[in-house]
Amino acid sequence: MLGYIARRLVQLVPVLLGVSVLVFFGMHLLPGDVAQLLLGDKGTEADLQRLRHQLGLDRPVYVQYARFLAGAVHGDFGVSIRTRQPAIWEIGQALPVTVELSLAALLFAVAAGLAVGILAARHPRSALDAGAMVGVLIGVSMPVFWTGILLLLVFGGILGWLPLGSLLDEGMRFHRITGMSLVDGLLTGDWAVVRSSVRHLILPAVALGLTSMATIARMARSTMLEALGLDYVRTARAKGVPEPRVVSHHALRNALLPVVTLVGLQLGLLLSGAVLTETIFALPGLGRLAITSILARDYPVVQGVVLIAAAVFVLANLLVDVLYAYLDPRIRYG
Amino acid sequence: MADEAGVRAAASGRTPPAARRRAAALSWRRLARSPHLVVGAAILALVVGSAAFARALAPHSPVDQAFTEQLRPPSAAHPFGTDEFGRDVFSRVLYGARIALVVGILADGIAMALGIVLGTVAGYFGGWVEATAMRTVDVMLAFPYLLLAMIVVAILGPSLTNAMIAIGIVYTPQFARLVRGAVLAIREQEFVEAARALGAGPIRVLGRHVLPNILSPIIVVATLTVGFAIVETAGLSFLGLGASPPTPEWGSMLATGRSYMLTAPWIATFPGLAILVTVVAFNLMGDGLRDLLDPRLRGRGF
């Protein structure tokens, strides 16, 4: 197992190198001179030359790439053109927000998806099943940015039950440990922060997780339906195991495997959706940072965000594969 | 997929007329038995109709502003209300269908064309060609989709056309992988070998013998992808990286509607509903086609 993980980690190196090449040269194709962007309108030609030299922009492009890569390995992506903060600091502020949001969305998607899927599978071809499957079809097709707007309108605007976006109540601060407000609130025992973060997290998490939830429900229904028809489940029923236990202890474990694969596939969707969800709910996460930096042509931050996001994404996929091996003893990666 | 008749037809490069008629009759009967496909096609026909006849159906111009009619709720004159410039939301949604369909289908076409080229070349030639193509695909898959699209748009410059190209690039890997797998499975079959033995060059073998036999899964995935391509392009426009005002594009309509969410919720509600309906249509059709063309997959999904 450890050997497998090590080999997979080694395989990540060329992929991330590829990403870095793509991002670096992509950013080089961007119109506009970086030195000019940094300097604004006030610099003279001599200032411009000096700055170009300082940034190494007068060097050959492969030297620039090597310097970028050497910096990136140490987490140094340069200084943000927009805020003059180190890019890595900006990313460090934003990443926990996105991670917390994505995890909350995933939690909702898996819990609600399994519940709906199992319920539908236990009453196949009933009204409940049909209703659930129509709901699933709509859920899969809902654009995440529209779901977000509707949720805000209904639960934030009309009913007024939940806040209209942002991370915490206005003026509220929390003691930073992980940067995830809910986790830090729990760690420091600050219940006001915990309460506020949960209230602020519900709507974005549901909006972001809805598509994944529908996909998981669909898969859970069909695998559960299959599992419930198998011989060993009949045996379990025949020896008098109560139905809820048949479902939870016998069928579910086998039905869960394809769902785990699906969760892995959903990660890309969640990280993509996070950009839109963060925009709608005004959350200062990685997606929000990506879009503001792209619009402002803040290339050091864009490069950093993309590399970090790609690394998080491929590592999360690796984690899913490992989890898969753990759940299915038949799979032993040698 | 490649039954005996299909193999023979593929080897000769054309389908005998009788067989073609039989196949058509068969698929019409099967078609009617696939409710997903029928319902999906019906909804899609509605969307295509709105797009095609937008000029006749729309009661107002989609771009003309009327400052006396700002932010009016839905009424007989304006079934979907008016937006912040007094434009008729219903007319804008109708014209938006044109943009969504054209952009979605073209983006999907770009992805399919690039993916087919990458996938067939990789699968057929193998060796370093395959290694290069597939490692490139791996790198593309290491990006969360929307982030990759955002970078492509950043490089090309924000516009609807570039958003479309970006989404096309983003969906290329899935076609490339699918096609490569199918080509690998079919490459060693006897009719392909026979064609090669008869002296057919790689382009003829790929175009005439390999591609026709792997079309079904490509069609299924392409249909499902159109819907997602529409959503993603709308998403790019929503972020300000696609259509620019006053283009009646659903994503950018949602973006402005968001600012008026509490005072004029209809501005954001109807374009979103239009996206949902269109995507549902493509998803239903994709599911139906999958059941029809690829019976092994039947029962997966729902």
Side-chain angles (χ1 to χ4, degrees), chain B:
Chain B
M1 226 177 317
D3 56 353
E4 203 189 323
V7 171
R8 244 186 293 124
S12 71
R14 58 174 180 270
T15 321
R20 208 183 305 153
R21 247 195 329 273
R22 254 203 325 277
L26 185 71
S27 41
W28 276 117
R29 261 212 316 280
R30 278 159 64 183
L31 208 97
R33 274 210 305 261
S34 170
H36 285 161
L37 194 60
V38 174
V39 176
I43 301 175
L44 188 64
L46 194 79
V47 178
V48 172
S50 327
F53 301 110
R55 194 187 294 268
L57 291 170
H60 302 273
S61 150
V63 288
D64 282 356
Q65 306 182 354
F67 287 101
T68 50
E69 297 279 313
Q70 284 163 319
L71 302 173
R72 293 282 166 88
S75 64
H78 300 287
F80 291 176
T82 63
D83 67 6
E84 77 279 17
F85 294 117
R87 294 175 300 204
D88 181 47
V89 174
F90 179 62
S91 308
R92 287 175 68 73
V93 167
L94 284 181
Y95 277 94
R98 288 186 176 186
I99 294 172
L101 287 176
V102 169
V103 164
I105 290 169
L106 283 182
D108 197 34
I110 293 170
M112 192 164 70
L114 289 177
I116 287 178
V117 170
L118 264 179
T120 39
V121 167
Y124 191 75
F125 293 105
W128 66 269
V129 178
E130 178 176 23
T132 314
M134 288 301 122
R135 289 301 80 76
T136 312
V137 165
D138 282 347
V139 169
M140 289 170 78
L141 286 171
F143 289 91
Y145 326 108
L146 198 61
L147 200 56
L148 180 58
M150 280 160 60
I151 294 165
V152 175
V153 175
I155 294 168
L156 299 175
S159 80
L160 192 56
T161 315
N162 291 341
M164 186 180 81
I165 294 171
I167 298 300
I169 292 174
V170 168
Y171 281 118
T172 301
Q174 67 175 49
F175 282 102
R177 284 203 159 172
L178 174 80
V179 171
R180 173 178 162 268
V183 170
L184 281 182
I186 214 166
R187 187 175 63 176
E188 304 303 332
Q189 288 201 10
E190 279 152 5
F191 71 93
V192 175
E193 218 172 300
R196 229 174 312 170
L198 286 170
I203 292 181
R204 190 183 165 83
V205 171
L206 284 174
R208 269 307 200 20
H209 304 282
V210 173
L211 260 185
N213 279 292
I214 60 171
L215 266 183
S216 319
I218 297 178
I219 291 172
V220 172
V221 171
T223 313
L224 286 169
T225 309
V226 176
F228 294 117
I230 290 175
V231 175
E232 303 270 350
T233 331
L236 284 176
S237 290
F238 181 80
L239 291 170
L241 292 171
S244 47
T247 317
E249 198 275 343
W250 292 340
S252 51
M253 290 170 73
L254 271 172
T256 42
R258 187 178 145 239
S259 327
Y260 297 92
M261 190 181 62
L262 297 178
T263 47
W266 52 88
I267 303 179
T269 306
F270 291 106
L273 199 62
I275 299 179
L276 174 64
V277 168
T278 313
V279 177
V280 163
F282 278 110
N283 280 348
L284 277 174
M285 281 190 58
D287 284 346
L289 281 174
R290 183 180 49 198
D291 290 350
L292 207 67
L293 297 174
D294 211 344
R296 280 168 308 169
L297 293 173
R298 193 171 296 162
R300 308 260 188 101
F302 68 101

Side-chain angles (χ1 to χ4, degrees), chain A residues 106-124:
Chain A
L106 197 62
L107 190 73
F108 162 74
V110 171
L114 280 180
V116 171
I118 292 171
L119 210 64
R122 284 191 61 187
H123 310 277

